[in-house]
Amino acid sequence: MQDKIRQIVAEAREALEKADNTAALEALRVQFQGKKGSLTQLLRGMGQLSPEERPQMGALINAARESIGAMIDERRGALRAAEREMQLARETIDVTEPRPFPKTGTMHPLYKVQDEMIDVFTGMGFDVAEGPEVELDTFNFELLNLPKNHPARDAQDTFYIEDNMVLRTHTSPVQARTMQTRKPPFRIVCPGRVYRADEVDATHSPVFHQMEGLAIDRDVSMCDLKGTLDAFVKSVFGEDMQTRFRPSFFPFTEPSAEVDMSCMACHGKGCRVCKGTGWIEVLGCGMVNPKVLDMNGIDSNVYSGFAFGIGLERIAMLKYGVNDMRLFYEGDTRFLEQFR
Ligand code: DAH
């Protein structure tokens, strides 16, 4: 029986050395130490021994059991460490490996133009002012010399919210608000969304953007207006651009003018873009109507001023050669990514 025990221990040692993973090791543990294992079988066979031999044999079997247990534990420790090594090697991440760049958003062309224009005007001493998009009829029309039933109101297809409340049809109401809250001299530009009940097409949208300008001081003249807007056109479209001022009409300015710049497509020679004239219309402007100054609490005997209104979509279309305004609103990334 002693030989048998020694043989089992030797077998176990040999088998354990060959076990190369923890699963195989567990199978061996069952084989040698489990309920049906070889040592357990020997213990069962002890009934045939004499009472003197039994304790001696029992002690031997238990010692064998313990030594096999110790070998298993040792082997398990070694295998676990090796398996962990392998797992770490397999899951190593190479943090230096190059990868494709993630897609990032881009500045929207309209706001790019808006920012550039703000830069130009703040460079000439203008502040940025803002006003509400839901506006009182009073500010949107009345205080700009557009009384109720004035024919010029029809030119702007207004969205009414209530009798005396509209979605602003232009950024000009910020003029009235600023005149009422600030003491001259001041110069402001007001960028923002405006609304008109227009059908959508390549050059119309019920929501679009304008930038209003207003400068009030003593002795402001048409010269200041022309110099300011000429500098604006040259900054945004290039130093070689020319401007010309054509007489026009707006109720809030007197005199009023429309500004053309030389066609950026043909540099004034005449082409399809400018319909052969060499000129492109860019904005409306004028000297603030003295009536408007007085209605808004500024003494027209002391102060004068100029104002202008610029359509942002128009400037962006001309600057980037975009021929359909809808592209600005559709959010197609193939279009937008070109302004990166
Ligand atoms: N408010 C005008 C419009 O929406 C644009 C405009 C023209 C604004 C002349 C002005 C101005 O301040 O002086 O058509």
Side-chain angles (χ1 to χ4, degrees):
M1 198 154 191
Q2 278 185 9
D3 285 347
K4 183 90 184 140
I5 294 171
R6 234 176 269 124
Q7 191 193 332
I8 291 174
V9 173
E11 265 172 34
R13 177 171 295 120
E14 196 178 333
L16 283 172
E17 261 159 33
K18 284 190 191 135
D20 58 0
N21 60 64
T22 47
L25 188 70
E26 177 59 16
L28 288 178
R29 192 189 62 75
V30 172
Q31 184 186 329
F32 288 102
Q33 295 195 310
K35 279 206 189 85
K36 293 180 184 150
S38 31
L39 286 176
T40 317
Q41 307 270 301
L42 281 186
L43 277 175
R44 291 219 178 100
M46 290 225 305
Q48 287 145 14
L49 297 176
S50 67
E52 300 81 54
E53 283 176 315
R54 268 183 224 164
Q56 207 189 338
M57 276 304 144
L60 279 176
I61 293 174
N62 277 334
R65 210 184 157 76
E66 263 169 41
S67 91
I68 291 178
M71 289 191 298
I72 291 176
D73 285 348
E74 191 191 313
R75 188 75 186 134
R76 187 184 288 121
L79 286 177
R80 283 222 177 117
E83 281 174 11
R84 192 158 166 72
E85 276 305 297
M86 265 162 60
Q87 186 184 10
L88 284 176
R90 197 169 53 237
E91 293 178 0
T92 297
I93 294 168
D94 178 2
V95 293
T96 66
E97 186 175 340
R99 44 141 201 150
F101 267 102
K103 280 202 166 187
T104 53
T106 53
M107 186 89 174
H108 192 281
L110 277 179
Y111 291 105
K112 240 175 116 161
V113 159
Q114 178 176 298
D115 275 5
E116 187 179 339
M117 287 167 60
I118 287 174
D119 274 356
V120 170
F121 285 112
T122 51
M124 292 192 276
F126 286 72
D127 306 328
V128 175
E130 278 182 297
E133 290 173 26
V134 176
E135 183 58 284
L136 293 169
D137 181 292
T138 324
F139 286 109
N140 195 77
F141 293 124
E142 271 334 283
L143 292 167
L144 296 170
N145 195 30
L146 275 146
K148 297 231 156 62
N149 304 318
H150 190 290
R153 280 198 182 203
D154 298 343
Q156 306 191 346
D157 298 306
T158 311
F159 285 117
Y160 277 87
I161 298 212
E162 284 167 19
D163 264 0
N164 191 34
M165 201 180 279
V166 302
L167 290 179
R168 67 179 178 191
T169 56
H170 49 183
T171 42
S172 305
V174 184
Q175 281 193 32
R177 288 180 172 274
T178 307
M179 286 188 248
Q180 298 203 5
T181 51
R182 287 182 66 165
K183 265 178 72 72
F186 57 77
R187 273 170 270 181
I188 56 126
V189 281
C190 164
R193 272 192 288 260
V194 300
Y195 301 83
R196 288 185 200 177
D198 279 330
E199 293 292 335
V200 174
D201 64 25
T203 53
H204 292 86
S205 159
V207 189
F208 58 105
H209 298 72
Q210 287 187 338
M211 185 178 289
E212 192 75 14
L214 175 68
I216 310 277
D217 201 347
R218 291 168 197 268
D219 304 320
V220 173
S221 75
M222 192 91 184
C223 243
D224 301 311
L225 171 63
K226 291 181 79 172
T228 303
L229 292 178
D230 189 68
F232 156 71
V233 167
K234 286 184 163 64
S235 304
V236 174
F237 291 98
E239 287 301 319
D240 55 337
M241 286 291 143
Q242 306 279 314
T243 52
R244 75 175 182 188
F245 289 65
R246 268 184 297 109
S248 183
F249 173 80
F250 300 103
F252 26 90
T253 43
E254 182 58 37
S256 304
E258 255 155 336
V259 179
D260 298 340
M261 67 172 187
S262 31
C263 176
M264 62 289 133
C266 63
H267 294 273
K269 286 189 204 75
C271 67
R272 238 178 28 156
V273 178
C274 57
K275 301 197 181 79
T277 64
W279 295 98
I280 301 265
E281 186 191 318
V282 277
L283 60 97
C285 63
M287 299 307 292
V288 181
N289 192 324
K291 211 173 148 190
V292 171
L293 289 175
D294 290 327
M295 273 195 290
N296 288 287
I298 290 178
D299 186 349
S300 61
N301 291 313
V302 181
Y303 293 104
S304 57
F306 65 75
F308 53 87
I310 309 174
L312 287 189
E313 278 79 355
R314 185 156 176 77
I315 300 297
M317 287 169 84
L318 294 172
K319 187 171 167 75
Y320 297 123
V322 174
N323 55 16
D324 193 326
M325 199 163 148
R326 286 168 286 200
L327 288 165
F328 290 133
Y329 312 123
E330 285 165 352
D332 186 332
T333 53
R334 291 169 303 178
F335 171 71
L336 297 173
E337 271 170 0
Q338 299 177 82
F339 301 92
R340 195 178 286 283

